[in-house]
Amino acid sequence: MTKKADIGSKRLISLAPDNWARWLTQQPDVQVQEFLSSEFQWLSRANDVLLKVYSPQEGEFLLLNEIQLRYTKQMPQRIRAYAALATERYNLPVYPVLVNILPRQTNAGIPGRYSSEFLGIRAYQEYRVINLWEVSAEIVFREKISTLLPFVPILKGGGEETVVRTALRELRANESLEDLEPLLSFFASFVLEIPIVQEIMRWDMTVLRESPWYQEILREGLQLGEQRGIQLGRQEGRQEGEAELIIRLLTRRFGSLDLAITEKVKSLSIPQLETLGDRILDLGSREELLSWLNEQR
């Protein structure tokens, strides 16, 4: 059996944990001592990574990493809960950090605190917020933050082909990082035309589907489907999320799509959408795409 690719948050942070921790905390002497379990009785998510770190100034403390595709309104309360549970379990102070990969779909700001009050009792939790689209791509190479290499295309100044190629060279310089190339190509598809992505790097939908951020995009479609009152709920929500992602990739490859094509894509089943995702780089023209769609029943 083929070993599954590991491109989740814990794997990425483990590529250069000390550099990652120093960047998050802005403490040059911080060292990561170990990865701790972030699974608690009521909470467990693949995007949460808890590190035990040490600095000469602060001693031992916990670095709570929450890496999200996009900010959601539930995040402040989640971070408050995780910080409290981590402190109770490990009896150490916690430095929580929320890393957002893509901007919100609205223009609303992203808070850096949780605050509530009930019957005169106030609860309050601050945390650091890092929005990757505001982070300069130069930092990744200068400070050797390997964790951020797959995200270079969506960093500030990282959308140029030359910069993406530099990130790709960094990944390929280490054989153990080969499975991260599809993740780099995925985020490159947000800023570069698909033919360029196809030319310079490997695209593997099978690997991408194991990424928590790909799953987040599917969940966005699922939530949209539920909001629209779709009768079959989760299944059709997942189908809608997959269809929207495929349409975006096709638009990157062929330019603006005719309504007839988008409607055909939206009508595909989940297995058909997965097949189209795998073949997206093999289709050389709109005509080939339309021919493939017409063959589907």
Side-chain angles (χ1 to χ4, degrees):
M1 181 179 296
T2 303
K3 181 181 179 181
K4 287 188 176 182
D6 180 5
I7 51 178
S9 300
K10 185 173 182 179
R11 162 75 192 291
L12 292 176
I13 292 174
S14 70
L15 300 177
D18 288 341
N19 291 352
W20 173 258
R22 290 164 188 167
W23 177 60
L24 291 189
T25 62
Q26 298 297 296
Q27 300 290 314
D29 299 326
V30 163
Q31 292 182 323
V32 174
Q33 294 183 326
E34 61 179 310
F35 284 72
L36 299 175
S37 172
S38 60
E39 294 187 3
F40 302 106
Q41 184 175 357
W42 301 283
L43 295 169
S44 176
R45 279 170 55 94
N47 292 356
D48 300 314
V49 180
L50 187 62
L51 303 175
K52 181 180 178 182
V53 301
Y54 171 83
S55 78
Q57 296 80 18
E58 307 298 336
E60 291 183 341
F61 63 96
L62 305 176
L63 178 56
L64 175 60
N65 303 259
E66 178 77 34
I67 304 178
Q68 289 294 309
L69 182 74
R70 287 190 179 92
Y71 172 83
T72 63
K73 63 182 181 181
Q74 294 82 18
M75 288 315 305
Q77 187 171 3
R78 277 186 46 77
I79 293 176
R80 175 212 178 196
Y82 263 106
L85 289 169
T87 298
E88 180 182 28
R89 172 178 288 188
Y90 298 107
N91 196 30
L92 289 170
V94 179
Y95 187 83
V97 183
L98 170 62
V99 179
N100 298 302
I101 298 173
L102 297 177
R104 298 183 70 177
Q105 295 174 324
T106 68
N107 293 326
I110 298 176
R113 66 183 62 86
Y114 169 86
S115 180
S116 69
E117 185 172 345
F118 180 70
L119 295 178
I121 302 297
R122 188 182 183 194
Y124 190 83
Q125 172 69 60
E126 288 190 341
Y127 51 89
R128 186 180 180 199
V129 175
I130 296 178
N131 301 317
L132 289 189
W133 61 93
E134 298 173 348
V135 175
S136 173
E138 295 179 359
I139 292 176
V140 179
F141 308 113
R142 184 177 68 245
E143 300 186 13
K144 301 186 183 303
I145 309 175
S146 302
T147 302
L148 292 179
L149 281 174
F151 304 111
V152 161
I154 48 89
L155 301 186
K156 186 176 182 180
E160 299 294 329
E161 182 181 343
T162 54
V163 181
V164 174
R165 286 181 180 273
T166 300
L168 181 60
R169 284 197 299 271
E170 292 282 339
L171 285 181
R172 288 180 173 174
N174 188 333
E175 291 184 0
S176 66
L177 306 183
E178 287 181 355
D179 60 342
L180 298 180
E181 187 171 325
L183 188 59
L184 175 63
S185 68
F186 175 62
F187 286 110
S189 74
F190 283 70
V191 295
L192 298 177
E193 299 299 326
I194 292 293
I196 296 176
V197 177
Q198 177 187 19
E199 175 189 346
I200 65 178
M201 69 186 77
R202 181 167 67 95
W203 181 276
D204 191 330
M205 288 296 290
T206 301
V207 173
L208 286 175
R209 289 191 185 99
E210 297 173 10
S211 160
W213 302 290
Y214 184 92
Q215 296 301 318
E216 284 289 335
I217 288 179
L218 295 188
R219 274 193 288 272
E220 287 181 358
L222 187 154
Q223 291 165 1
L224 181 61
E226 290 177 341
Q227 290 168 6
R228 292 177 180 173
I230 291 178
Q231 184 178 6
L232 296 182
R234 298 187 63 85
Q235 183 72 5
E236 291 201 13
R238 183 189 168 205
Q239 186 274 343
E240 183 167 350
E242 185 93 36
E244 290 297 331
L245 177 58
I246 294 299
I247 288 171
R248 183 181 64 77
L249 296 174
L250 289 170
T251 301
R252 280 285 177 186
R253 180 150 176 73
F254 300 117
S256 180
L257 301 176
D258 297 335
L259 179 61
I261 291 180
T262 60
E263 290 302 316
K264 284 180 181 292
V265 173
K266 290 179 180 179
S267 70
L268 297 175
S269 66
I270 291 176
Q272 288 172 323
L273 287 167
E274 291 179 344
T275 299
L276 179 55
D278 292 333
R279 295 194 56 185
I280 209 166
L281 298 183
D282 298 326
L283 298 170
S285 66
R286 289 168 180 261
E287 289 71 24
E288 288 185 21
L289 169 62
L290 188 57
S291 175
W292 186 89
L293 289 171
N294 287 334
E295 292 173 359
Q296 308 308 305
R297 294 291 185 270

